[in-house]
Structures are given as structure tokens and as C-alpha cells.
Amino acid sequence: MPAKQDDPPRVMALDLPQAVLSEENRAYFAKCQEKLGFIPYVLLAYAHDDAKLTAFAAFYNDLMLGPSGLSKLEREMIAVAVSSVNHCYYCLTAHGAAVRQLSGDPVLGELMAMNYRAAELSPRHRAMLDFAVKLTEAPHQVEEADRAALRKAGFGERDIWDVSAVAAFFNMSNRMASAVDMRPNAQYHSVAR
Amino acid sequence: MPAKQDDPPRVMALDLPQAVLSEENRAYFAKCQEKLGFIPYVLLAYAHDDAKLTAFAAFYNDLMLGPSGLSKLEREMIAVAVSSVNHCYYCLTAHGAAVRQLSGDPVLGELMAMNYRAAELSPRHRAMLDFAVKLTEAPHQVEEADRAALRKAGFGERDIWDVSAVAAFFNMSNRMASAVDMRPNAQYHSVAR
Amino acid sequence: MPAKQDDPPRVMALDLPQAVLSEENRAYFAKCQEKLGFIPYVLLAYAHDDAKLTAFAAFYNDLMLGPSGLSKLEREMIAVAVSSVNHCYYCLTAHGAAVRQLSGDPVLGELMAMNYRAAELSPRHRAMLDFAVKLTEAPHQVEEADRAALRKAGFGERDIWDVSAVAAFFNMSNRMASAVDMRPNAQYHSVAR
Amino acid sequence: MPAKQDDPPRVMALDLPQAVLSEENRAYFAKCQEKLGFIPYVLLAYAHDDAKLTAFAAFYNDLMLGPSGLSKLEREMIAVAVSSVNHCYYCLTAHGAAVRQLSGDPVLGELMAMNYRAAELSPRHRAMLDFAVKLTEAPHQVEEADRAALRKAGFGERDIWDVSAVAAFFNMSNRMASAVDMRPNAQYHSVAR
Amino acid sequence: MPAKQDDPPRVMALDLPQAVLSEENRAYFAKCQEKLGFIPYVLLAYAHDDAKLTAFAAFYNDLMLGPSGLSKLEREMIAVAVSSVNHCYYCLTAHGAAVRQLSGDPVLGELMAMNYRAAELSPRHRAMLDFAVKLTEAPHQVEEADRAALRKAGFGERDIWDVSAVAAFFNMSNRMASAVDMRPNAQYHSVAR
Amino acid sequence: MPAKQDDPPRVMALDLPQAVLSEENRAYFAKCQEKLGFIPYVLLAYAHDDAKLTAFAAFYNDLMLGPSGLSKLEREMIAVAVSSVNHCYYCLTAHGAAVRQLSGDPVLGELMAMNYRAAELSPRHRAMLDFAVKLTEAPHQVEEADRAALRKAGFGERDIWDVSAVAAFFNMSNRMASAVDMRPNAQYHSVAR
């Protein structure tokens, strides 16, 4: 019988002490604790350097929570479909939970993580994920025809930016998580099953 | 908001009526219903032809439940790690549930489905999955050195056969599931979370 | 000058003694010897375990020799085209011989083994092999459009199952042969040249 | 004779008007104009949304110009080697110029863009780029052994974070540039030749 | 039943008339006819332009028949192993025949065409083919360590040139054959079976 | 700060003395020196064997400088786009310079070396490079439809031969350069910037 996974918990494979955090970042962590019941380990990983934590959180929050023609669920669907290509344990776990929670459909989260092509998707969502996955697998082959397919599915210019920005971001985040072996908080596994 | 996935349920994309089943297969289905509470859709998919159902079930049951130096959990771990490479929705769902259930460790099932390299594995299990995944990704490059790595991790000759046979089988099963768009029973999703 | 290949003959790289075979399997081997002049080494490889030999032979014989809308030659063409992608020495040798023999066209066997795209094929055969090879190379990308292409080429629902089942099976068999370094019987090389 | 490339200049393929910029961002653009003689088109591309421009510039400037055990040249070398894998026209042009300029060695910039393996690199730089390129090509295969190779080449824990962060960032930036067809400023081409 | 392949014979897919050949090339063709019983179709394909035929034949004959530390059989083994990676129907057929003929071992030809890793090779031949196949699959990753492996297996500096030159040449020739759909002469199929 | 690249200059990684050259080859080298100001290192690399140098130069000069429906610039564009796929330092440097020089457009050379898809190309040039790059990446998948796309873009039968021949040649040349680590002359870097 294998040992239980992730026990005891650890944040990442690098041995980096936490920095003294700014007041703003301490408040941010307190808010995470209050709203989620935990601080996402990705934030603890960046907390070895206050400036990096600040820059990452600002970038992330604008991207995933800021105003956009894409719903929060749509952004999370992109996050998970991209992370499936890159087999990223952290992001599949954390953002798979978000898809289950935001959609109220536990199966949709599994489908995004396993193979979005097996899901019953609207033409809008299929076009969105096809673009995001092509951008992940073969960025140098993305061209005008790919943008045209998004426009045909109803996406505007700014929406194309946002689909691209979310897909591109998780190609960064997946790699950061793999590079330092970031671990997801255990709580994500049981969310919205 | 996307429509709920897998609603109404269907077994596969091909329009094939169920065959008149033999007494043995009817008894087998009754036993599934009794023990699992449902008949796995993969069996219903094969049930368009009684001989094929019989041959598949015999082959599968010998492989996954028959005597072996590999535990049932180990066989299921191979099944899921292979299915992760092939992004097979059916097998990741059904056999991910089996790993969670047999191990009593919900996180282990997720790790097999997402990226087995992120799991904390014994040298035995790491060698076993490295072999299975190489056999999946580049079968023509599997050679004596790969078998030697299994022997070094404690696997005997028959064990090497069994690791190979399970990995090879799911390369068939993953493709069969994708080819006809086999759907997993909804019950798997909530098992042993 | 390199040493002659496959001399002395051996069945596979694993050191597994033959099991005591059931009467049925002994009869099956006798029939092979009588009809082919030899026992295919794949069967000798499985003969380390009587139950596994029985299950494999039943599964294989239903698939390749049982009733189907696909001719035996068509099933062998799929076997070889799939084995070409996976560079499987055993299956290219044994099933290449079968294509040469069943078609009476030695060149067709070579084309299946080397590059089916270079063959002059009917639209039916081209669609059949395109599906089988995509299922081999990228199973997670096989979708409704791929099944539709088979239907358009005249394949019925059950035929699609059979094309899929043969292609999927050889993705198992190719991997089993590589995993244990199964050797083809020398006789295949000279068949129907 | 083909038409001259990039004439007239354009920033990207999306039709997005520039936002009214904050005072800080206007000052940032003025400083670019003063120091570089132009505003990098990547900044003009983000300028359709003041918040996104702010977040991107903060993240980028901390990463590439902030305190680090990696020199600015080393960070630019990673940027170009990653962009070479992804065939990113924008980043190869802009960051290739930076490598030429920071190193005073025009050939080094070409080597990073074409094939870093052909360069005569110190063990430190070779290890750094091997890690960055593996993280780009196969993030899910990066493991403890890869981090150990960096440590052996003299990189500390924080340095490993920084190598990872730069490589990961350009996997985002390369994809963003391809997704919206970002064009590099013409000036980069002639820098430090 | 599929139509017989390569009937009627044709040289390639391009519709190019034969050029008036120089006396030397007419003599060369006469010599082929006399020694082989046919003119290899690759030469007929180049014969649309006398200068190109001359240059190709000179280059080829120096490479494959000129003085070298590699035997003619070794050069043909490289040709076939490279053509197997590229699935080239013309070259696998013509040079597979050469391997069978020069070695007097029909099985060796099949092994080179199917998977050289399954052959029982001397360390010299294994190193030679490993280098040739890596150069085929990932030329930008060939480095000093790869040349060192050839030296360790007994190859001198000029031998390394020759292994490289043969492998590189068939990467050209395979592509030329595919590009214009060159057909091999039917006679090759039955040589030295 | 890394050491300056390519200092002192060397031709390749193999330790092969120059052969005594024929009068023709000495004259050829003298002409290179006079016209270019240097002897291209690729020629010095082949100069270890007079016959090989002769055959290579004849083949190359017919291909790149001989009569053709493709302009010299078009042939160089193919050379660079192919070399970009193969990440060949020698050919990207030498032929990138040729594109810059023949086109009078420094940016065009960069685009061919980085990602031809980002260039603003005529339909003729796009079709030409799409064919050349497919032939490079997946030669066994080039078929009649690919030739038809060239014909539709205005290429004749002989032109298709020439596009194919140039693309195929650089697949040889790229591999030869990588195999022996051929170095480009330093002069190329500053040509036509």
C-alpha cells in the first residue's frame, strides 16, 4: 500500500524562507484565510519575496477576476484545459475545483482536466478551448485563421485578448508549478464533488 | 453557464442495439448490478455482440483480477497513468475511482490521472509507472535496459509480463473508448472522494 | 558482416517456463502446427499461463476471424498500418505476411508496412486506414467528424466498431511484443513474396 | 521580390483602441521614449487597458530588472533560448537585441535565437539553458534531478526560482505575442550588430 | 480486393518529360540496365534534367560506393534505418533490397526497415544506427557526446563524417521521394528474399 | 560575462586534415575568396576529401544557382525556413545573410529564420514555404493535395521539383552541419543588416 500523498504538507521543493510581508500582502493572506479557509500554496510559494508576491497577485487577480467579456467560469475552463495539456498537478487540482464550484457541475471539472473534447460544449466554448489548446501546443502556428474562428464564435477583439491572456498565463503558471514542484492545498480535492 | 454534462446518459456514440445475451453474460450483468449498483458502460458498449462481450470480459477479468505478483491497486495505478497519457475520459474516470477506493487515498487517484511524476512513490511504483508510460509513448524504444530497471526494482519475470500486459491493455482500451466515445457511469465521479 | 538474425530462435526476452496447457490449448497448438506448419511465437509467449493463452486466443480469433463487415484482408491491412506507426517488428512481420497472402499482392504488404499513404487505395480503404492511424497517433483527438468520415466512405455502425477494435487491439499487441521483445517465426519472412 | 516587411508598422492583429493611461503609465512611456528612443510595441499592445498594462509592466520589470542572483544578460539569454523553441518573432527580435547589447557579442545573440547548444557556454550557462528549455518543452517531466543539476552548477534555491520564473514567463509572453500577432519595433533589428 | 499496386508502373507524380541525356548519362543508364536488369526509377526521375542527373549520380556514387571506412553494407543499413523513421516507401524498398543482398541475410533487411532496435547488432552497428537515427529525429540535439559515442565504438574522424553523410543524404532522398511520390522498381521487392 | 563566441575560428568538430585539392577546386576557392572575401566554411569542411568537395559543390551550385523557375531569393527563403525547423546554426547564419542581401530587406531574413508564418508573404511564397516546412516536419505525409496546393499557387511541374529539391537538400545540409558542428564564417553575421 503506498504512503498517503501530501502528508505532511509542504509548499514546494525549494528551500526558501518566507519574506517579511508588506501590510497589504498580510491583509491579502488574512482575506484568503477568511474567505477560503486557507492560503493557496501558490501564494505561499511566491511569499519568499514580497515584491514578487505583489506582482504575481496583481497580475493574477486582474486576469482571472477583473472585468472581461469572459465569465469567471470560462476563464477557469481555459485554465484547466491548458493545464491538462501540460499535466500540471497544482493547477489541475486548484482550478479543477474552481470549475466544479463555479459551474455547479462536478463532471465538467473532470472533463476539462481529462479531455475537453469529450465534453458536450457550446460552439462558443469549443472554439475558446480549441484556441487555448492550440496556443499551448503550437504557439508558432497560431495565425489569423485561428483568431477568425473565435470571431465567428462570437468573441470580440477584447475577448480574443482575454482568451489568449488566460491561456498564456497558465502556460507560465503550469511551468512555474512544475519547476519548483508546487503542491496544491489538500482542501481543493474535496471541493464541489 | 454550460449545460450539465452527461445528461441524459448514453453509452457511446455508435448506434448499435444490444444483442440477446447468453445466460452467463446476463448473470455477469446481474452480479455487476448487485455488487457495484450499476453495469459499467464499457460492458454495455460491448453488449452489441455477445461473443465480443464474453471475450472482452474474460480477457479483462483475468488481467485485472486474476492471480499476479502485482496487487489490484498496482494494476489500477498503471491503468490510470497510461490513460493520463492518452487523455481517455472513460478510463481516467472509472479507474481513477478504483485507485481512490483501493488505496483509501483520494489524492493518489488524482495524482495518477494528472501526473504520476508529482506523486511520492516507492522506487517499485516509480519504476513500474516509468515502464508503463514509456511503453505507451514510445513502444519501439522499449528495450532490455527497461526490463532491467524493473528487475532492479524487484519485479520478477512474470511481474514484468503483468506490468506490460496491463499497460498494453489500456492502450487498447483508451483507444476503443475514444473511437466510439464511450461514456463513464456517473457514479464513478463521487466514489471515494 | 553482422551475425545472422534470429539464430538460434527464441520466443521472447522474458525467462518464463511454459505452463501445462489445457486440452483445448494443446489441440489449438496442434491445429496451428498442422495448418501453418508452426505455432506462432505470440501464442508460445502467452503459453506461460494457460488462462492468459485462452483469453488472448479467444479475443484475437473473434476479432480477426469472426463475422464482420470487414474482410479478413481489411483487418490485416489495419493491423499492419497500425504496427508501422509503432514500429513493431513482430506484428509487421507476421501480419505483413498475412496481407501479402490474403491479397495475393506482395507489394500491398510492403506498402502497409512502410507507408500506407503511398499505396493506391480505394476511398473505403483510405478512410479506414486514416481512422486507424489517427486512433493510434492521437486517440484523444478522435471525434465525431472522424466517425462521420467512415460513414461517408460506406462503413456502418458495426463496421466502425470493428475498424476501431482492430486498430485498438494492435496498439495493445504492438506494445506487448515490444515490452517482452517477442520474436516472429522465421517462416513469415518468405510467405507470399 | 517580396514587399518590405513591417511596412507600415502595426502593433498587433487585434483592433483595440488605446485606453486613457494613468499618469504613472504615461510617465513610464515617456521614460521608454527617452531611454530607448521608442516605446516597445508589447507595451503599446497592453495599453488597450490601463490596469493590464500596469500589472504586466510591474511583473516584467521585477522579473527582468529586479534584484537576482542572475545577471540581466543571463535572464535575457533564457528569454531568447525559450523563444527559440516557441519560434516567437516578437521575443526573438526584442530579446535577441538585448543579448547582443548586454554581452557586446553579436554572435551570442544569434546563437541563443538559433540553437543554444551550438554556443560555447560555461557549465553554469549550459545548465541554466538546459533547465529552461526542458521546462519549455516538457514541463511535466521536470523533477528533482533537474533542480539538482542546477544546484550542482552553482545555483542556489532562489536562483532556481529565478531561472524558472524567467523561462516560465517567456512561455507566457511567446504565446501572447503569437496569439495577437504582436510586432517588434523595427529598431531592434539593427541594435548591436 | 484492392487493385494490384504499382500497375501500370510510373516513375513519379510530376509530369516532366525526360531530357536529352549526355553521352555519359546514356552510358550510365546502359550500365545500370546491364548490371541490374533495370534503371532505378530515382535516376529516371532525375532524368528530366541532364545536369541534375549528373550531379545527383556523382554525389550518390561517391557517398555509397566510394572509398570509406564503412562497408557498403553498413552504408545501406544506415540508409534503411533512416528511411524507416521517415517512412519512405521508395528508399525502404530499394535499400532494404540492398541490405538483404549485401548481407545475405533477408531478416536483417526487414529489421532495418521495421525497427533496428529489435536486431541483434554488434556495439559498432548499434552506435552507428543510434547516431544516424538521432541525427534524423533531432538534428539540433546532436552534440559532442554523440560523436564521442561513435569514437568509443571504434569509429575514426573520417568514419564519423561518413556515418553523418549517409544519414544526412537519406534525409534528403526520403524527402525528395515523398515530395514527388517516386515509385520503386517492382524488381526490388523480390530481391534476396 | 560569457567568452566571445567563435574565437578563435574553427571549421568543424572533426579533426580532419585538408586534402590536396584539384586544380579546379583550388580555382573555386580562389574565386570564393575574390568574390566573397572568404571561403565558406562548409566548403573547407568538405575539403578533407577532394572528390566529396567536388560532388558537393557541383550539386549545390546546380541547385541554388542553376536555371530554375524559382528566383535565387526564393531558393534562399526555402533554405532558411527549413533550417529554422531544424535549428541549424550554420545554415541559418549563412543563408539568413543571403536572404537579407538578395531581398535588400533585413527583416525578411529574420522572419525566415524565426517564424515564416509571421511574415507578410504573397500567396505564392506562403504556399512554397508551407510545402517546404511540411516536407521537413512530416515527409511521409506529403501527398497529392500538397502538390496541388503548389500548382494552385502558380507553380509548374518543374517548379514543384525545385521547391522539393531545395527543401530536401537543406534537410541534408542542416544534419551534416549539426553532425560535425560546422561553424559559419563570422562575416555572415554583419551582412546586409
Side-chain angles (χ1 to χ4, degrees):
Chain A
M1 179 92 2
K4 280 261 179 163
Q5 294 295 319
D6 288 324
D7 181 23
R10 60 186 176 76
V11 169
M12 65 170 160
L14 298 185
D15 188 17
L16 285 169
Q18 260 203 246
V20 177
L21 297 187
S22 64
E23 197 167 334
E24 287 76 9
N25 281 330
R26 286 201 308 272
Y28 179 40
F29 277 20
K31 198 169 129 195
C32 288
Q33 189 68 54
E34 184 197 320
K35 286 185 65 172
L36 305 173
F38 59 86
I39 300 165
Y41 282 2
V42 63
L43 298 179
L44 289 179
Y46 274 91
H48 68 85
D49 184 296
D50 191 64
K52 291 189 188 306
L53 174 60
T54 302
F56 176 82
F59 197 88
Y60 177 86
N61 289 330
D62 171 73
L63 183 77
M64 297 299 281
L65 306 174
S68 169
L70 305 185
S71 72
K72 285 176 194 171
L73 172 57
E74 288 173 330
R75 288 179 261 181
E76 294 289 351
M77 288 167 71
I78 295 172
V80 182
V82 165
S83 303
S84 175
V85 175
N86 291 327
H87 290 282
C88 177
Y89 173 50
Y90 187 98
C91 301
L92 285 168
T93 300
H95 295 278
V99 170
R100 296 196 302 271
Q101 195 157 41
L102 289 169
S103 67
D105 181 1
V107 178
L108 185 68
E110 297 297 273
L111 278 159
M112 294 301 101
M114 291 169 177
N115 186 359
Y116 79 96
R117 295 172 194 85
E120 315 272 349
L121 297 173
S122 65
R124 171 183 170 90
H125 287 165
R126 181 60 197 245
M128 177 182 88
L129 296 178
D130 280 348
F131 187 94
V133 164
K134 182 173 180 183
L135 190 61
T136 298
E137 294 181 330
H140 64 302
Q141 293 176 3
V142 170
E143 293 194 68
E144 194 55 27
D146 301 293
R147 288 181 288 271
L150 283 183
R151 288 189 189 100
K152 204 183 148 192
F155 292 92
E157 299 299 284
R158 168 59 193 269
D159 299 332
I160 298 176
W161 178 279
D162 287 356
V163 172
S164 303
V166 175
F169 178 86
F170 282 92
N171 273 287
M172 174 174 75
S173 213
N174 292 169
R175 284 174 174 82
M176 203 61 212
S178 286
V180 305
D181 193 23
M182 240 177 247
R183 315 302 299 184
N185 306 60
Q187 289 90 333
Y188 287 122
H189 291 293
S190 53
V191 167
R193 293 291 185 189
Chain B
M1 178 91 4
K4 279 261 180 163
Q5 293 295 319
D6 289 326
D7 181 22
R10 59 186 177 76
V11 169
M12 65 169 161
L14 298 186
D15 187 16
L16 284 170
Q18 261 203 248
V20 176
L21 297 187
S22 64
E23 195 166 337
E24 287 76 8
N25 281 330
R26 286 201 308 273
Y28 180 38
F29 276 19
K31 197 170 131 196
C32 288
Q33 189 70 52
E34 182 196 321
K35 286 185 65 173
L36 304 172
F38 58 88
I39 300 164
Y41 283 3
V42 64
L43 298 180
L44 289 180
Y46 274 92
H48 68 85
D49 184 294
D50 191 64
K52 291 189 187 307
L53 173 60
T54 302
F56 177 81
F59 197 89
Y60 177 86
N61 288 333
D62 170 73
L63 182 78
M64 297 300 280
L65 306 174
S68 168
L70 305 184
S71 71
K72 285 176 194 170
L73 172 57
E74 288 172 331
R75 288 178 261 181
E76 295 289 351
M77 288 168 71
I78 296 171
V80 182
V82 165
S83 303
S84 174
V85 175
N86 291 326
H87 290 283
C88 178
Y89 174 50
Y90 187 98
C91 301
L92 286 167
T93 301
H95 296 277
V99 170
R100 296 195 304 271
Q101 194 158 42
L102 289 168
S103 68
D105 181 0
V107 176
L108 186 67
E110 297 297 273
L111 278 158
M112 294 301 101
M114 291 168 176
N115 185 0
Y116 78 96
R117 295 172 195 85
E120 313 272 350
L121 296 173
S122 65
R124 171 182 170 90
H125 286 164
R126 182 59 198 247
M128 176 182 87
L129 296 179
D130 280 348
F131 187 93
V133 164
K134 183 173 180 183
L135 189 61
T136 299
E137 294 181 331
H140 64 302
Q141 292 177 4
V142 171
E143 294 194 67
E144 194 54 28
D146 302 293
R147 288 181 288 271
L150 283 183
R151 288 190 190 100
K152 203 181 148 193
F155 291 92
E157 299 299 284
R158 167 61 193 269
D159 299 334
I160 298 176
W161 178 278
D162 288 356
V163 172
S164 303
V166 175
F169 177 87
F170 282 92
N171 273 287
M172 175 175 74
S173 213
N174 292 170
R175 284 173 174 83
M176 203 60 212
S178 286
V180 305
D181 193 23
M182 239 176 249
R183 315 303 299 183
N185 307 59
Q187 288 91 332
Y188 288 121
H189 291 294
S190 52
V191 167
R193 293 290 186 190
Chain C
M1 179 92 5
K4 279 260 180 165
Q5 294 295 318
D6 289 325
D7 182 23
R10 60 187 175 77
V11 169
M12 63 169 163
L14 298 187
D15 187 17
L16 284 170
Q18 259 202 248
V20 177
L21 297 187
S22 65
E23 197 167 335
E24 286 75 9
N25 281 330
R26 286 202 308 272
Y28 180 39
F29 276 20
K31 197 168 131 197
C32 289
Q33 189 68 53
E34 183 196 321
K35 286 185 65 171
L36 305 172
F38 59 87
I39 300 163
Y41 283 2
V42 64
L43 298 180
L44 289 180
Y46 275 91
H48 67 85
D49 184 296
D50 191 64
K52 291 188 187 308
L53 174 59
T54 302
F56 177 80
F59 197 88
Y60 178 85
N61 289 332
D62 170 74
L63 183 77
M64 296 302 280
L65 306 174
S68 168
L70 305 184
S71 71
K72 284 175 195 170
L73 172 56
E74 287 173 330
R75 286 178 263 183
E76 294 289 351
M77 289 168 70
I78 296 171
V80 182
V82 165
S83 303
S84 174
V85 175
N86 291 327
H87 289 283
C88 178
Y89 174 50
Y90 186 98
C91 301
L92 286 167
T93 300
H95 295 278
V99 170
R100 296 195 304 272
Q101 195 159 40
L102 288 169
S103 67
D105 182 1
V107 177
L108 185 68
E110 297 297 272
L111 279 158
M112 295 300 102
M114 290 168 177
N115 186 359
Y116 79 94
R117 295 173 195 85
E120 314 272 349
L121 296 173
S122 64
R124 171 182 170 91
H125 287 165
R126 181 61 196 245
M128 176 182 87
L129 296 178
D130 280 348
F131 187 93
V133 164
K134 183 173 180 183
L135 190 61
T136 299
E137 294 181 330
H140 63 302
Q141 293 176 4
V142 170
E143 295 194 67
E144 193 54 27
D146 301 293
R147 288 181 288 271
L150 284 183
R151 288 189 190 101
K152 203 182 148 192
F155 291 92
E157 300 298 285
R158 167 60 194 269
D159 299 334
I160 298 176
W161 178 278
D162 287 356
V163 172
S164 303
V166 176
F169 178 86
F170 282 92
N171 273 287
M172 174 175 75
S173 213
N174 291 170
R175 283 174 175 83
M176 203 60 213
S178 287
V180 304
D181 193 23
M182 239 176 249
R183 314 302 300 182
N185 307 59
Q187 289 92 330
Y188 287 122
H189 291 295
S190 53
V191 167
R193 292 289 187 192
Chain D
M1 179 92 5
K4 280 262 181 162
Q5 294 294 319
D6 289 326
D7 181 22
R10 60 187 176 78
V11 169
M12 64 169 162
L14 298 186
D15 189 17
L16 285 170
Q18 259 200 249
V20 177
L21 297 186
S22 65
E23 196 167 336
E24 287 75 9
N25 282 330
R26 286 201 308 272
Y28 180 40
F29 276 21
K31 198 170 130 196
C32 288
Q33 189 69 53
E34 183 196 323
K35 286 185 66 171
L36 304 173
F38 59 86
I39 300 163
Y41 283 1
V42 63
L43 297 179
L44 289 179
Y46 275 91
H48 68 84
D49 183 297
D50 191 65
K52 291 189 187 307
L53 173 59
T54 301
F56 177 80
F59 196 88
Y60 178 85
N61 288 331
D62 170 73
L63 183 78
M64 296 301 281
L65 306 174
S68 169
L70 305 184
S71 72
K72 285 175 194 170
L73 172 56
E74 288 173 330
R75 288 179 261 183
E76 295 288 352
M77 289 168 70
I78 295 171
V80 182
V82 165
S83 302
S84 175
V85 175
N86 291 327
H87 289 283
C88 177
Y89 174 50
Y90 187 99
C91 301
L92 286 168
T93 300
H95 296 277
V99 170
R100 296 194 305 271
Q101 196 158 40
L102 289 169
S103 67
D105 182 0
V107 177
L108 185 67
E110 297 298 273
L111 279 158
M112 294 300 102
M114 291 168 177
N115 185 0
Y116 78 94
R117 295 172 194 85
E120 314 272 351
L121 296 173
S122 65
R124 171 183 170 91
H125 287 164
R126 181 62 197 246
M128 177 182 87
L129 296 179
D130 281 348
F131 187 93
V133 165
K134 181 172 180 184
L135 190 60
T136 299
E137 294 180 331
H140 63 302
Q141 293 176 3
V142 170
E143 295 193 68
E144 194 55 27
D146 301 292
R147 288 181 288 271
L150 283 183
R151 288 189 190 101
K152 203 183 148 191
F155 291 92
E157 299 297 286
R158 167 60 193 269
D159 298 334
I160 298 176
W161 177 280
D162 288 357
V163 172
S164 303
V166 175
F169 178 85
F170 282 92
N171 273 288
M172 174 175 76
S173 212
N174 292 171
R175 283 174 174 82
M176 203 61 213
S178 286
V180 305
D181 193 24
M182 241 176 246
R183 315 303 298 183
N185 306 61
Q187 289 92 330
Y188 288 121
H189 291 293
S190 53
V191 166
R193 292 292 186 189
Chain E
M1 179 90 5
K4 279 261 179 165
Q5 294 294 318
D6 289 324
D7 181 23
R10 59 187 175 76
V11 169
M12 64 169 161
L14 298 186
D15 187 16
L16 284 169
Q18 259 202 248
V20 177
L21 296 187
S22 64
E23 197 167 334
E24 287 76 9
N25 281 330
R26 286 201 307 271
Y28 180 39
F29 277 19
K31 199 169 128 195
C32 289
Q33 188 69 54
E34 184 197 320
K35 286 185 65 171
L36 305 173
F38 59 86
I39 300 163
Y41 283 2
V42 64
L43 298 179
L44 289 180
Y46 275 91
H48 67 85
D49 184 296
D50 191 64
K52 291 189 189 305
L53 173 60
T54 302
F56 177 81
F59 197 88
Y60 178 86
N61 289 331
D62 171 73
L63 182 77
M64 296 301 281
L65 307 174
S68 168
L70 305 185
S71 71
K72 284 175 195 170
L73 173 56
E74 287 173 330
R75 288 177 263 181
E76 295 289 351
M77 288 167 71
I78 296 171
V80 182
V82 165
S83 303
S84 174
V85 175
N86 291 327
H87 290 283
C88 178
Y89 174 50
Y90 186 98
C91 301
L92 285 167
T93 300
H95 295 278
V99 170
R100 295 194 304 270
Q101 195 157 42
L102 289 168
S103 67
D105 181 1
V107 177
L108 186 67
E110 297 298 272
L111 278 159
M112 295 299 102
M114 290 168 177
N115 186 0
Y116 79 95
R117 295 173 194 85
E120 314 271 350
L121 297 173
S122 65
R124 172 183 169 89
H125 287 166
R126 180 62 197 245
M128 176 183 87
L129 296 179
D130 281 348
F131 187 93
V133 164
K134 182 173 180 183
L135 190 60
T136 299
E137 294 180 330
H140 63 302
Q141 293 176 4
V142 170
E143 294 194 68
E144 195 54 29
D146 301 292
R147 289 182 287 272
L150 284 182
R151 289 189 190 99
K152 204 183 148 191
F155 292 92
E157 300 297 286
R158 168 60 192 270
D159 299 333
I160 298 176
W161 178 278
D162 288 356
V163 172
S164 303
V166 176
F169 178 85
F170 281 92
N171 273 286
M172 175 175 75
S173 214
N174 292 169
R175 283 174 175 82
M176 203 61 212
S178 287
V180 304
D181 193 23
M182 241 176 245
R183 314 303 300 183
N185 307 59
Q187 290 91 331
Y188 288 122
H189 292 294
S190 53
V191 167
R193 292 289 184 191
Chain F
M1 178 96 0
K4 280 261 181 163
Q5 294 294 320
D6 288 325
D7 181 22
R10 59 186 178 76
V11 169
M12 63 169 161
L14 298 186
D15 187 18
L16 285 170
Q18 260 202 248
V20 177
L21 296 187
S22 65
E23 196 167 335
E24 287 76 9
N25 281 330
R26 286 200 309 272
Y28 180 39
F29 277 20
K31 197 168 131 197
C32 288
Q33 189 69 54
E34 184 196 322
K35 285 185 67 172
L36 305 172
F38 59 86
I39 301 163
Y41 283 3
V42 64
L43 298 179
L44 289 179
Y46 275 91
H48 68 84
D49 184 295
D50 191 64
K52 291 190 187 306
L53 173 59
T54 302
F56 177 81
F59 197 88
Y60 178 86
N61 289 331
D62 171 73
L63 182 77
M64 296 301 280
L65 306 174
S68 169
L70 305 185
S71 72
K72 285 176 195 170
L73 172 56
E74 287 173 331
R75 288 178 263 182
E76 295 288 351
M77 288 167 71
I78 296 171
V80 183
V82 165
S83 303
S84 174
V85 175
N86 291 326
H87 289 283
C88 177
Y89 174 49
Y90 186 98
C91 301
L92 286 168
T93 300
H95 296 277
V99 170
R100 296 195 303 270
Q101 195 158 42
L102 289 168
S103 67
D105 182 0
V107 177
L108 185 67
E110 297 297 273
L111 279 158
M112 294 299 102
M114 291 168 177
N115 185 0
Y116 78 96
R117 294 173 195 85
E120 314 272 350
L121 297 173
S122 66
R124 172 182 169 90
H125 287 164
R126 181 61 197 244
M128 176 182 88
L129 297 179
D130 281 348
F131 187 93
V133 164
K134 182 173 180 184
L135 190 60
T136 298
E137 294 180 330
H140 64 301
Q141 293 176 3
V142 170
E143 294 193 68
E144 194 56 27
D146 302 292
R147 290 182 287 271
L150 283 182
R151 289 190 190 100
K152 203 181 148 191
F155 291 92
E157 299 298 284
R158 167 62 191 268
D159 299 333
I160 298 176
W161 177 279
D162 288 357
V163 172
S164 303
V166 176
F169 178 86
F170 282 92
N171 273 286
M172 174 175 74
S173 213
N174 292 169
R175 284 174 175 82
M176 203 61 211
S178 287
V180 305
D181 193 23
M182 240 176 247
R183 314 302 300 182
N185 307 61
Q187 290 91 332
Y188 287 121
H189 292 294
S190 53
V191 166
R193 292 291 185 189

